């Protein structure tokens, strides 16, 4: 009997000790609480406000003497590039949830989360909101069970690092008005005149003459913009893929990059794009550009794409219905790319900027490698190279290759 009592005492003590240990198990989490504004407030403030310092640069678009640079999830910087050696940030248009931009004439198009907004930039320094078109782009997926208030617009996030015991975490993680992420998780919050407008290779919408083409996760949407201030949707193509990421126009074709392949659409009839061919690859993030008989696709690993490849694929597209791989080049973590003549520029992420002689696409020759910057996207045109990097917007002169001469840099100022 005594041995049974002793066992019970030891057992109960073990349970109590285990309970005490459990209470001491903690982990640090980043809690993000959304800051909302009404839709009317947001639309009223889509205009040229005073210039702001660049903090998180994203995609860019060139038009005339202006650079339109996306501030990830915040809006668009308007930069006067009359003198590429001394560009000047002139104004900022606040557009919550903004990632993409395009320009036709006096009209700027931008995404505001799922919506397409139309902005009159007859005077870029006095831009004004014209209208919005709802549900053009995919709903933002934040994960962790978060659901936003659809009647309002998220304009910011308040981050608070909090240490919780494990039980408290699971109780709080059921809240859908905030996001709770592990401390290792990521934040939800990323010389010459371009008369026709030029987008980078990471763009999700593109303008070809009087038509604009937008991609979301699984669709290609076509808009007639012959009246630029009043886009008219004329077609929707469902693409047999998921996670469509980029679109790039070349002549009468659209090259669409997804996380598992490249799709080619014929726009001989611009109002009705027709699938002309596709090239499949391993699952990875995928910007694509094209030039003549070849397309260039960069693949990189990343959490959203669940991929494992970091490479540049050169694809022969002389037969559009049956694209074929010419050669694969290993890279570090490539993103955007651009080509001018026989020069190919690749943003290789943390491994910097690489310039190749691409006169023989099956045998690219590295001519210049600039390290010390983490690059994202690039546009090469008229001997001027614009490069978006983690620490700012660079401009280079490549008129005398293999030399790359830095003309200017607008530095990021992170608070």
């Amino acid at each position: 009997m005594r041995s049974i009592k002793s066992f019970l005492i030891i057992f109960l003590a073990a349970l109590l000790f285990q309970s005490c240990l459990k209470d001491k198990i903690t982990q640090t989490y980043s809690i993000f609480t959304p800051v909302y504004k009404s839709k009317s407030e947001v639309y009223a403030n889509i205009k040229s406000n005073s210039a702001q310092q660049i903090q998180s640069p994203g995609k860019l678009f060139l038009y005339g003497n202006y650079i339109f640079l996306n501030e990830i999830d915040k809006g668009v910087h308007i930069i006067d590039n009359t003198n590429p050696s001394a560009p000047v940030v002139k104004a900022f248009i606040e557009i919550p949830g903004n990632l993409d931009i395009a320009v036709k004439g006096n009209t700027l198009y931008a995404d505001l989360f799922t919506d397409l907004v139309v902005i009159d930039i007859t005077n870029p320094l006095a831009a004004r909101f014209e209208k919005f078109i709802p549900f053009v782009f995919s709903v933002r997926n934040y994960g962790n069970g978060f659901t936003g208030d659809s009647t309002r617009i998220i304009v910011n996030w308040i981050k608070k690092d909090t240490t919780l015991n494990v039980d408290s975490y699971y109780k709080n993680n059921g809240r859908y008005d905030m996001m709770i992420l592990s401390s290792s998780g990521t934040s939800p919050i990323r010389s010459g005149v371009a008369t026709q407008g030029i987008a980078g290779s990471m763009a999700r919408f593109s303008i070809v003459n009087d038509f604009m083409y937008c991609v979301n996760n699984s669709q290609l949407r076509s808009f007639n913009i012959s009246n630029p201030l009043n886009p008219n949707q004329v077609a929707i193509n469902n693409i047999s893929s998921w996670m469509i990421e980029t679109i790039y126009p070349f002549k009468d074709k659209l090259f669409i990059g997804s996380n598992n392949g490249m799709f080619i659409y014929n726009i001989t009839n611009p109002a009705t794009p027709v699938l002309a061919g596709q090239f499949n690859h391993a699952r990875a993030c995928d910007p694509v550009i094209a030039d003549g008989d070849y397309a260039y696709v960069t693949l990189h690993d990343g959490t959203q794409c669940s991929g494992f490849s970091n490479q540049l694929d050169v694809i022969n597209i002389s037969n559009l219905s049956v694209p074929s791989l010419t050669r694969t080049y290993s890279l570090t973590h490539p993103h955007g790319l651009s080509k001018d003549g026989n020069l190919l520029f690749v943003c290789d992420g943390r491994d910097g900027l690489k310039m190749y002689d691409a006169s023989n696409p099956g045998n690219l020759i590295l001519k210049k490698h600039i390290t010390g910057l983490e690059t994202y996207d690039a546009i090469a045109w008229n001997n001027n190279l614009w490069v978006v990097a983690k620490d700012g917007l660079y401009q280079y002169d490549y008129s005398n290759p293999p030399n790359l001469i830095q003309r200017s840099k607008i530095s990021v100022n992170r608070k």
Side-chain angles (χ1 to χ4, degrees):
M1 186 70 175
R2 179 178 299 174
S3 61
I4 294 175
K5 287 182 178 179
S6 299
F7 172 79
L8 288 173
I9 291 171
I10 294 171
F11 179 72
L12 291 171
L15 286 177
L16 180 62
F17 179 69
Q18 186 179 25
S19 177
C20 291
L21 283 178
K22 182 179 179 182
D23 289 342
K24 293 181 180 179
I25 297 175
T26 63
Q27 185 167 351
T28 299
Y29 297 89
S30 296
I31 298 177
F32 293 89
T33 304
V35 178
Y36 290 97
K37 283 187 179 180
S38 69
K39 292 183 178 182
S40 59
E41 285 182 281
V42 170
Y43 297 147
N45 201 39
I46 297 179
K47 60 184 180 180
S48 295
N49 296 295
S50 58
Q52 295 186 14
Q53 293 180 319
I54 298 169
Q55 297 182 38
S56 186
K59 302 174 188 181
L60 74 162
F61 194 95
L62 309 178
Y63 194 88
N65 286 321
Y66 286 98
I67 301 170
F68 298 87
L69 177 66
N70 160 244
E71 178 77 28
I72 296 176
D73 273 339
K74 299 292 185 182
V76 180
H77 298 280
I78 300 176
I79 302 169
D80 186 341
N81 198 48
T82 303
N83 180 1
S85 298
V88 180
V89 182
K90 303 291 287 188
F92 183 71
I93 304 175
E94 290 189 20
I95 310 173
N98 175 243
L99 297 174
D100 280 271
I101 42 184
V103 176
K104 175 180 170 59
N106 294 324
T107 306
L108 169 70
Y109 305 95
D111 61 328
L112 190 161
F113 291 109
T114 61
D115 299 344
L116 174 68
V117 295
V118 181
I119 304 168
D120 186 333
I121 56 167
T122 302
N123 178 355
L125 305 185
R128 66 177 188 270
F129 171 76
E130 284 292 325
K131 65 182 297 184
F132 75 95
I133 301 172
F135 307 121
V136 172
F137 302 99
S138 302
V139 173
R140 192 77 60 91
N141 181 12
Y142 293 100
N144 294 83
F146 174 81
T147 302
D149 181 348
S150 61
T151 66
R152 297 180 293 168
I153 295 174
I154 298 172
V155 296
N156 206 347
W157 296 85
I158 297 174
K159 177 184 177 183
K160 181 180 180 182
D161 292 331
T162 303
T163 300
L164 304 171
N165 64 52
V166 174
D167 281 347
S168 296
Y169 165 72
Y170 285 110
K171 290 175 183 177
N172 281 308
N173 208 26
R175 292 190 62 178
Y176 296 149
D177 60 341
M178 63 172 60
M179 285 188 294
I180 304 179
L181 302 180
S182 166
S183 56
S184 61
T186 57
S187 165
I189 3 231
R190 217 195 53 52
S191 73
V193 176
T195 56
Q196 296 301 314
I198 305 173
S201 63
M202 305 294 288
R204 284 187 305 159
F205 49 94
S206 182
I207 293 174
V208 181
N209 299 320
D210 285 335
F211 286 82
M212 179 167 61
Y213 303 95
C214 306
V215 292
N216 57 33
N217 277 350
S218 60
Q219 294 177 324
L220 167 64
R221 291 175 177 251
S222 305
F223 293 85
N224 185 321
I225 55 172
S226 54
N227 179 354
L229 292 176
N230 189 31
N232 176 34
Q233 183 171 286
V234 293
I236 298 177
N237 291 73
N238 292 311
I239 301 175
S240 59
S241 180
W242 194 248
M243 288 297 291
I244 302 299
E245 294 149 355
T246 62
I247 183 170
Y248 185 87
F250 181 70
K251 295 184 177 179
D252 60 351
K253 304 294 186 296
L254 297 175
F255 293 81
I256 295 174
S258 77
N259 68 359
N260 63 0
M262 175 189 73
F263 297 84
I264 306 170
Y265 277 80
N266 190 316
I267 53 171
T268 303
N269 181 347
T272 56
V274 176
L275 181 64
Q278 68 184 76
F279 177 83
N280 296 324
H281 57 63
R283 184 177 174 88
C285 290
D286 175 11
V288 55
I289 63 171
D291 183 13
D293 288 337
Y294 293 91
Y296 301 82
V297 180
T298 58
L299 313 179
H300 70 267
D301 56 8
T303 56
Q304 289 184 334
C305 304
S306 303
F308 55 86
S309 301
N310 288 287
Q311 65 196 52
L312 168 68
D313 284 349
V314 180
I315 302 167
N316 188 315
I317 55 172
S318 56
N319 183 346
L320 288 175
S321 61
V322 190
S324 59
L325 179 66
T326 296
R327 185 170 174 181
T328 292
Y329 299 85
S330 295
L331 293 171
T332 301
H333 196 235
H335 288 73
L337 64 169
S338 188
K339 190 170 184 288
D340 185 9
N342 288 327
L343 294 178
L344 175 68
F345 301 89
V346 179
C347 295
D348 201 8
R350 55 186 175 272
D351 200 24
L353 174 69
K354 296 176 180 179
M355 180 177 73
Y356 294 89
D357 179 346
S359 52
N360 180 359
N363 185 30
L364 300 182
I365 299 172
L366 181 64
K367 305 298 289 185
K368 189 73 173 181
H369 183 191
I370 298 177
T371 59
L373 62 164
E374 186 172 340
T375 55
Y376 172 67
D377 202 7
I379 296 176
W381 182 76
N382 198 30
N383 292 325
N384 202 43
L385 177 69
W386 293 260
V387 178
V388 178
K390 188 175 182 180
D391 65 337
L393 175 64
Y394 292 79
Q395 291 190 65
Y396 295 93
D397 179 349
Y398 59 87
S399 59
N400 186 26
N403 293 324
L404 268 178
I405 300 172
Q406 183 176 323
R407 283 177 161 168
S408 61
K409 176 189 176 184
I410 302 177
S411 296
V412 160
N413 182 22
R414 289 187 171 87
K415 295 180 180 179

